[in-house]
Amino acid sequence: MKAIVLHEYGGPEKLKYEDVPDPVAGEGEVLVRVAATSVNPIDYKLRSGSFKDFMPIEFPKILGNDFSGIVRQVGAGVKGFAPGDKVMGVADASDAEVVAAKADATILVPEGLDLIQAASLPVVTMTGEQLISKGTGIQSGQTVLITGAAGNVGRAAVRTAKKAGATVIAGVRKAQAKTAAELGVDEILALDDASALEKLGFIDAVADTVGGATAEKLMGKVKPGGVFASVVGPPANAKMHPTVKVVAVVMHPDTTALRSLAEDVVAGHLVIPIDRMVPLAEAGAAQAAAEKGGIGKVLLLA
């Protein structure tokens, strides 16, 4: 099969489109002919070497986690899947034409969800869901500020918080206010407006996807006993706010949450924008585009 192989740390040009041996479905796995995968921030952070101190790569390495495709083979002990099934989920080394995925990190694509579009959902939706459910633990009647609410993880966090019955403040840049208003939030806060930040009262929790100076400012807005949850690490000034619980969120596969959010997409309750779709062979260009930022997902078509 063809796959995107990284032999050393560096820029997008280090990603090579090469022939590699086909994987096999081990016990508890399904072998999937990949229709699409997608680019996530972890991909270019791993590729560049910026994460090598705590997530070193053993080369050669095939990156990628999201996938959607068709089941080709079912491994020993797997139930609920059969060859020909349309599936989606997360797996190591998904930037390839074929991937061996753990069955417990894979779901059937819901009826009505496009197979290619499905590849945009797993990592960002499960990350956003866990930022709220496991990170903030927000409950009905409480208020949570979600930074980067117009982003992919932020959108899933907004949906999850609203389903929990929380009051949701979308923290976005001024230029994204119109987009944020379409997310069904209760309030919009311009994070690049210093005066607006000053006027913000105490809140129960912050669900952070942006970090940096903005996160540091928001630490002081969480009420004593409240929670600051983040997918980008704790703010630099976290220790100056000992009454606030700081939670670092790292996504772990949760097929129940993935299925629920995928169904929300089908129902029109959640939209994960797709910026562009490019052939798998152009993974380097795709990562370069994604690294520049924006709110849409970049998909690789295998």
Side-chain angles (χ1 to χ4, degrees):
M1 69 171 184
K2 292 287 189 181
I4 301 300
V5 184
L6 182 67
H7 294 276
E8 60 182 334
Y9 294 119
E13 73 282 356
K14 297 295 184 181
L15 296 170
K16 306 299 182 183
Y17 185 60
E18 298 177 350
D19 287 304
V20 299
D22 281 19
V24 296
E27 185 173 358
E29 294 182 331
V30 289
L31 193 68
V32 178
R33 175 59 175 92
V34 176
T37 180
S38 82
V39 178
N40 291 294
I42 187 65
D43 297 322
Y44 43 80
K45 290 176 181 178
L46 288 172
R47 185 212 71 227
S48 68
S50 63
F51 271 27
K52 65 182 177 182
D53 288 341
F54 52 98
M55 292 183 70
I57 288 178
E58 184 176 329
F59 298 109
K61 174 70 174 177
I62 300 172
L63 299 177
N65 292 112
D66 288 319
F67 73 87
S68 63
I70 307 295
V71 174
R72 178 181 285 181
Q73 182 183 355
V74 175
V78 173
K79 297 180 180 179
F81 296 101
D85 283 343
K86 295 180 180 180
V87 293
M88 60 189 288
V90 292
D92 289 333
S94 67
D95 288 353
E97 292 179 330
V98 183
V99 67
K102 292 182 179 179
D104 61 6
T106 303
I107 66 169
L108 296 172
V109 174
E111 190 72 30
L113 180 61
D114 178 78
L115 183 62
I116 300 298
Q117 182 187 9
S120 68
L121 304 180
V123 169
V124 296
T125 58
M126 288 189 288
T127 301
E129 193 277 338
Q130 290 170 33
L131 177 60
I132 298 300
S133 65
K134 301 186 185 305
T136 66
I138 203 76
Q139 298 177 2
S140 179
Q142 293 184 309
T143 298
V144 59
L145 168 63
I146 299 171
T147 68
N152 301 308
V153 172
R155 286 166 177 259
V158 167
R159 176 61 183 162
T160 302
K162 291 303 295 181
K163 288 165 79 171
T167 296
V168 178
I169 303 173
V172 295
R173 297 190 300 273
K174 285 181 183 178
Q176 296 174 316
K178 183 177 179 181
T179 298
E182 299 170 353
L183 303 180
V185 298
D186 300 283
E187 189 178 334
I188 298 170
L189 176 68
L191 297 177
D192 51 355
D193 183 338
S195 62
L197 274 175
E198 285 295 323
K199 294 175 184 176
L200 177 67
F202 284 113
I203 53 178
D204 297 294
V206 170
D208 181 42
T209 72
V210 301
T214 297
E216 292 182 46
K217 293 176 183 176
L218 291 174
M219 276 295 299
K221 299 295 184 177
V222 181
K223 64 177 58 174
V227 182
F228 190 105
S230 178
V231 294
V232 292
N237 63 343
K239 291 183 179 179
M240 296 174 62
H241 299 272
T243 64
V244 177
K245 181 182 179 183
V246 178
V247 181
V249 177
V250 178
M251 188 276 287
H252 296 284
D254 180 343
T255 52
T256 299
L258 177 57
R259 187 177 296 107
S260 176
L261 288 162
E263 290 171 352
D264 283 342
V265 170
V266 174
H269 300 313
L270 173 64
V271 176
I272 302 298
I274 296 173
D275 181 82
R276 68 190 71 187
M277 303 180 187
V278 300
L280 179 64
E282 298 175 18
Q287 280 200 17
E291 205 165 356
K292 291 179 181 177
I295 61 170
K297 290 286 290 183
V298 177
L299 299 187
L300 299 172
L301 308 184

